[in-house]
Amino acid sequence: MHSLLDARQQWTLAAGAILLEANALEFAAGYDIERLDGKREGIIEMFGRAWSIRDEQSFHQQMENFREGSGHHDKFDQRRALLSVMTHQEQENYILGLEDEKLRTQLRIIQLYDSRLNAASISAWDWGRAISMAMQVGYVDEKTAWTFMYEMAQRIQKAYSSWAEFGLAYLIGRQYGYEELDTESALEHFSLVEHLFERADSPWNVLPWEEATVGLPVEPEREG
């Protein structure tokens, strides 16, 4: 465990661990972004495609969007609510009548996983990626980045009851975002978190979900 990080910082980064570790960063090393080497450019490009983050100004705008609750869960929740008022047969008729194959896949994902999600639905996917984004892109100073990440960590801890519940919601969100439902894709998504569930030194097995410091007050950094 990285000795220079306090308990709150460790927990916060653990909430972004899926994407951080997918980029070959390690919890034991404090997810040191200096270890990204030549990957940094590709990571920044990825966040640019996903959220149009290309400089400090667009980063601040995306931070505000997350604070205001935007993300993949918006459409997911709207569509989840729509399906919830239909019988199963009505859902089938509605989905089969759609011409958009990607939308049909997303609705099937909602059908399949609806009962496994709590009221926060797939917000884990948005908030977890937000933490890893703030950690890796480097468009703002360290204090601003940590303040934003603390806010996202608080939302995660309040919305979910365990690393397992958070991880499941993240995976469902990832499938929804990638518009993939086949078994091969599902296994590929799960492979990203398998070690976090099973490895003894995983932050999800080392750090208690109930870490009290996560709930400490945060003063949001706003553009003035």
Side-chain angles (χ1 to χ4, degrees):
M1 187 179 299
H2 199 301
S3 60
L4 298 181
L5 297 177
D6 62 31
R8 188 183 200 183
Q9 290 173 319
Q10 290 173 20
W11 199 101
T12 297
L13 293 184
I18 297 175
L19 192 50
L20 291 170
E21 299 210 3
N23 290 332
L25 297 176
E26 299 176 356
F27 175 66
Y31 296 126
D32 184 0
I33 59 174
E34 297 300 324
R35 300 188 177 207
L36 288 173
D37 298 324
K39 294 184 178 181
R40 187 74 178 280
E41 185 175 328
I43 291 168
I44 292 175
E45 181 184 353
M46 175 188 69
F47 285 121
R49 289 196 312 269
W51 292 318
S52 300
I53 299 173
R54 309 195 186 281
D55 50 29
E56 182 177 354
Q57 182 178 357
S58 56
F59 179 87
H60 276 286
Q61 181 58 59
Q62 188 56 51
M63 284 198 299
E64 289 305 308
N65 291 342
F66 276 117
R67 284 170 170 144
E68 293 167 5
S70 66
H72 270 112
H73 73 275
D74 289 343
K75 284 291 185 183
F76 185 98
D77 292 345
Q78 291 171 17
R79 292 164 179 168
R80 187 184 188 190
L82 175 64
L83 293 181
S84 72
V85 299
M86 299 181 187
T87 65
H88 181 73
Q89 189 58 56
E90 287 172 338
Q91 290 178 5
E92 291 298 306
N93 293 341
Y94 175 70
I95 293 172
L96 291 173
L98 295 170
E99 295 184 2
D100 187 333
E101 183 178 352
K102 291 182 178 179
L103 177 55
R104 289 202 304 270
T105 298
Q106 289 181 321
L107 291 175
R108 290 293 187 196
I109 290 171
I110 295 172
Q111 269 191 320
L112 180 62
Y113 295 116
D114 179 64
S115 64
R116 295 173 178 264
L117 290 166
N118 66 15
S121 70
I122 62 167
S123 296
W125 163 240
D126 294 317
W127 300 336
R129 285 191 304 157
I131 288 172
S132 61
M133 173 266 294
M135 178 70 179
Q136 295 178 85
V137 297
Y139 285 133
V140 293
D141 62 84
E142 187 173 345
K143 179 182 177 182
T144 300
W146 276 113
T147 297
F148 172 69
M149 290 190 291
Y150 289 153
E151 289 182 69
M152 296 299 104
Q154 284 187 350
R155 294 186 185 198
I156 288 169
Q157 192 184 59
K158 289 177 181 177
Y160 300 98
S161 63
S162 65
W163 290 116
E165 187 177 48
F166 165 73
L168 176 62
Y170 186 105
L171 287 181
I172 295 171
R174 194 172 197 272
Q175 282 188 264
Y176 179 84
Y178 278 69
E179 299 153 349
E180 296 173 342
L181 187 57
D182 59 280
T183 302
E184 182 178 350
S185 296
L187 290 173
E188 182 179 340
H189 292 305
F190 180 73
S191 69
L192 291 175
V193 302
E194 187 174 12
H195 67 289
L196 289 168
F197 286 127
E198 297 180 352
R199 205 177 62 215
D201 61 349
S202 156
W204 291 7
N205 288 323
V206 171
L207 302 175
W209 182 262
E210 299 80 9
E211 171 55 55
T213 60
V214 176
L216 293 175
V218 177
E219 288 295 330
E221 293 286 334
R222 310 280 185 177
E223 287 186 288

